[in-house]
């Protein structure tokens, strides 16, 4: 288990001033750097330099990064990704501000993902010595940390196989056309640890992102986030509600450029030997939005 | 104040000055297929049949290309009409989802008493 987590998500925004307002004052992330047209943020419960990178010009995902524990793991990832048939290149320290050297992979879906072994540590906002439960003066929804992303690919099975074979992720839940072994895979939720997902993949146009999510501490904080979105006129796609898939509580909302964000809380403890959950199309409404039990027209079509 | 006429049904809706097409239609109690409301997802594209629009925010080239702009595609969540416009929805009809909102929006425009068919709760 060499990969620790999704460490950063790097997206494009059409208007940096509005984006800074959203990720800083509404989402409540801490700005850690502004350099070369990019702005870097971290959540209060994160210790590495950043987890969100914004770049002005356009909309959608530039790339995301996964952190590995040990630099030695990178050789194995490079070899396996090459054998898989992905485009692989070495990246040097500093190509990404405050990020170590690593491996850059272009997936068959054209998404760029990077693996790195260290990032400049800046520390938890509550520290590590006799810490308090949370920072006293949180801003906006006070998102603690980046949790996962849902990316979009034409061939979901192929990208699932990449994450399994190259970096040892395992699926916790899947959406397929039937329970048959040869069923068509519509979406998959995959993890490297014990949470429900670090990455999820949904069928659709290559290179797109459906959303990236911040983990909240619980349902109360999800509701509070909804209140803040009302105050800030942040467009809410759905929620507060629950996903049948993962059981997580959620709000989907949009940043000022139209990138979809999520607040996510809950889910359940996952293990490699836990049986994988399968959803089939007749229950997809309940799977995505557990209370409404109806897929809105935006879920499968709105992405950046 | 500009008016937007929405095809294929020819529904005429009054907008406030500076209001986007999307905001004005929803304020008047109508709905159609939209997504992010922030110019990112491209789902709210419509055809601009006549009139002119301005964009109140930078619109990403990968959402609305220069060629699309030139050939009459309009990103309705960011487009602010300059004078009256006519748009056509793509493969859908404008849906009236709140006759109450439509009633009060009409009244606020000083159009007098709306026709009985558009009174609250009449459908
Ligand atoms: S609603 Fe997403 S671009 Fe207009
Ligand atoms: Fe999610």
């Amino acid at each position: 288990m060499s990969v620790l987590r999704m460490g950063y998500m790097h997206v494009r925004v059409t208007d940096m001033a509005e984006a800074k307002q959203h990720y800083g004052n509404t989402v409540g992330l801490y700005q850690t750097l502004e350099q070369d047209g990019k702005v870097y943020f971290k959540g209060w419960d994160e210790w590495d330099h950043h987890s969100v990178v914004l770049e002005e010009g356009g909309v959608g995902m530039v790339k995301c990064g996964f952190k590995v524990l040990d630099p030695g793991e990178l050789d194995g990832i490079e070899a396996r990704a090459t054998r898989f048939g992905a485009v692989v290149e070495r990246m040097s320290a500093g190509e990404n501000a405050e990020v170590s050297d690593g491996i850059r992979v272009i997936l068959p879906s054209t998404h760029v993902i990077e693996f790195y072994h260290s990032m400049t540590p800046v520390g938890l906002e509550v520290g590590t010595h006799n810490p308090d439960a949370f920072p006293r003066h949180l801003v906006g929804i006070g998102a603690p940390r980046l949790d996962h992303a849902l990316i979009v690919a034409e061939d979901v099975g192929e990208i699932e196989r990449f994450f399994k074979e190259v970096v040892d992720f395992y699926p916790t839940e899947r959406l397929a056309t039937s329970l048959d072994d040869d069923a068509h895979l519509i979406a998959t939720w995959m993890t490297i640890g014990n949470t429900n997902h670090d990455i999820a993949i949904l069928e659709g146009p290559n290179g797109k992102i459906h959303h990236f999510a911040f983990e909240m501490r619980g349902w109360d904080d999800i509701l509070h986030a909804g209140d803040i979105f009302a105050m800030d006129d942040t467009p809410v796609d759905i929620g507060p509600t629950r996903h049948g898939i993962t059981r997580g509580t959620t709000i989907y909302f949009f940043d000022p450029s139209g990138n979809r964000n999520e607040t996510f809380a809950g889910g359940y403890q996952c293990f490699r030997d836990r049986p994988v959950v399968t959803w089939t199309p007749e229950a997809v409404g309940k799977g995505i939005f557990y209370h409404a039990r109806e897929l809105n027209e935006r879920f499968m079509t709105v992405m950046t | 104040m500009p008016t937007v006429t929405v095809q294929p049904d020819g529904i005429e809706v009054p907008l406030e000055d500076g209001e986007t097409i999307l905001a004005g239609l929803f304020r008047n109690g109508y709905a159609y297929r939209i997504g992010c409301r922030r110019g990112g997802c491209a789902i709210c594209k419509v055809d601009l049949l006549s009139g002119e629009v301005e964009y109140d925010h930078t619109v990403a080239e990968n959402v609305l290309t220069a060629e699309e702009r030139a050939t009459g595609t309009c990103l309705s969540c960011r487009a602010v009409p300059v004078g009256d416009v006519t748009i056509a929805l793509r493969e859908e009809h404008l849906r009236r989802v709140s006759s109450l909102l439509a009633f009060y929006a009409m009244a606020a425009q000083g159009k007098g008493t709306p026709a009985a068919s558009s009174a609250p709760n009449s459908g």
Side-chain angles (χ1 to χ4, degrees):
Chain A
M1 249 203 262
S2 62
V3 174
L4 295 168
R5 64 180 168 276
M6 175 178 286
Y8 55 83
M9 174 56 69
H10 181 154
V11 292
R12 296 185 180 283
V13 296
T14 44
D15 182 319
M16 186 60 86
E18 287 187 344
K20 281 166 74 170
Q21 181 71 19
H22 174 80
Y23 288 99
N25 280 335
T26 300
V27 180
L29 303 178
Y30 294 71
Q31 185 180 322
T32 52
L33 181 68
E34 176 155 14
Q35 183 179 287
D36 301 330
K38 300 188 190 78
V39 181
Y40 299 76
F41 290 94
K42 74 180 275 290
W44 67 261
D45 213 14
E46 292 172 320
W47 47 93
D48 279 347
H49 181 268
H50 59 263
S51 58
V52 172
V53 183
L54 306 178
E55 181 173 342
E56 192 167 64
V59 59
M61 173 176 159
V62 176
K63 58 191 180 183
C64 65
F66 291 89
K67 190 179 186 184
V68 301
L69 186 57
D70 175 355
E73 306 278 7
L74 294 173
D75 291 339
I77 294 174
E78 182 177 32
R80 290 190 299 274
T82 304
R83 199 177 323 134
F84 182 86
V87 179
V88 184
E89 60 186 47
R90 283 269 165 184
M91 62 179 199
S92 48
E95 270 185 56
N96 297 299
E98 312 295 332
V99 178
S100 70
D101 60 300
I103 306 288
R104 180 176 299 122
V105 177
I106 304 172
L107 296 177
S109 57
T110 76
H111 295 97
V112 178
I113 60 174
E114 296 175 335
F115 298 94
Y116 63 99
H117 58 82
S118 66
M119 191 190 284
T120 308
V122 296
L124 297 155
E125 296 304 316
V126 291
T128 49
H129 182 208
N130 303 335
D132 277 311
F134 56 88
R136 189 180 185 93
H137 297 293
L138 285 174
V139 171
I141 73 171
R145 56 177 288 272
L146 178 70
D147 189 66
H148 67 267
L150 172 55
I151 61 173
V152 183
E154 279 167 23
D155 187 341
V156 174
E158 182 181 38
I159 307 303
E160 182 188 70
R161 195 165 61 78
F162 173 90
F163 279 96
K164 272 186 193 166
E165 290 178 6
V166 177
V167 281
D168 208 23
F169 282 45
Y170 63 99
T172 63
E173 304 208 9
R174 301 169 98 214
L175 169 61
T177 48
S178 75
L179 293 176
D180 299 342
D181 288 344
D182 61 351
H184 179 74
L185 191 60
I186 304 166
T188 182
W189 287 260
M190 304 183 80
T191 187
I192 187 62
N194 298 102
T195 60
N196 278 96
H197 45 358
D198 293 285
I199 190 89
I201 304 123
L202 171 70
E203 185 168 42
N206 276 342
K208 295 279 187 180
I209 181 166
H210 187 277
H211 68 267
F212 60 101
F214 300 96
E215 187 188 29
M216 306 299 287
R217 289 172 293 173
W219 173 244
D220 286 357
D221 284 9
I222 298 278
L223 183 64
H224 179 255
D227 297 337
I228 298 290
F229 298 150
M231 292 180 200
D232 288 358
D233 197 26
T234 304
V236 168
D237 184 6
I238 190 99
T241 184
R242 181 194 292 283
H243 293 306
I245 296 165
T246 74
R247 303 179 193 152
T249 52
T250 180
I251 301 173
Y252 283 150
F253 57 106
F254 293 102
D255 80 5
S257 307
N259 295 301
R260 194 192 270 103
N261 299 160
E262 180 185 22
T263 52
F264 180 88
Y268 52 85
Q269 288 273 306
C270 296
F271 296 92
R272 277 173 194 276
D273 64 335
R274 192 182 205 279
V276 178
V277 168
T278 303
W279 294 83
T280 47
E282 72 276 13
V284 68
K286 192 172 173 179
I288 306 292
F289 303 126
Y290 191 64
H291 300 142
R293 281 159 280 140
E294 205 171 79
L295 214 52
N296 66 28
E297 59 184 348
R298 294 182 294 277
F299 184 80
M300 289 304 229
T301 54
V302 170
M303 44 199 68
T304 57
Chain B
M1 277 176 300
T3 295
V4 55
T5 304
V6 185
Q7 302 295 6
D9 300 312
I11 299 169
E12 234 180 82
V13 181
L15 301 181
E16 302 282 351
D17 286 324
E19 192 171 45
T20 64
I21 293 174
L22 182 152
L25 292 178
F26 277 77
R27 183 177 53 76
N28 281 280
Y30 292 98
Y32 61 109
R33 186 176 54 240
I34 62 151
C36 66
R37 297 170 181 258
R38 293 292 183 272
C41 70
I43 207 89
C44 67
K45 282 179 185 172
V46 300
D47 292 309
L48 184 62
L49 302 181
S50 72
E52 255 180 68
V53 298
E54 278 176 351
Y55 287 95
D56 65 344
H57 282 75
T58 306
V59 173
E61 167 74 19
N62 61 345
V63 173
L64 184 69
T65 65
E67 193 192 328
E68 283 179 306
R69 279 186 204 225
T71 52
T73 295
C74 162
L75 196 69
S76 61
C77 69
R78 291 300 202 192
V80 178
V82 188
D84 295 350
V85 297
T86 300
I87 61 166
L89 302 186
R90 294 180 170 178
E91 290 166 11
E92 65 171 331
H93 293 260
L94 193 62
R95 305 191 296 272
R96 177 189 257 193
V97 291
S98 170
S99 38
L100 187 70
L101 276 181
F103 179 86
Y104 287 113
M106 288 285 281
Q109 295 285 327
K111 294 255 164 94
T113 311
S117 64
S118 58
N121 306 322
S122 72

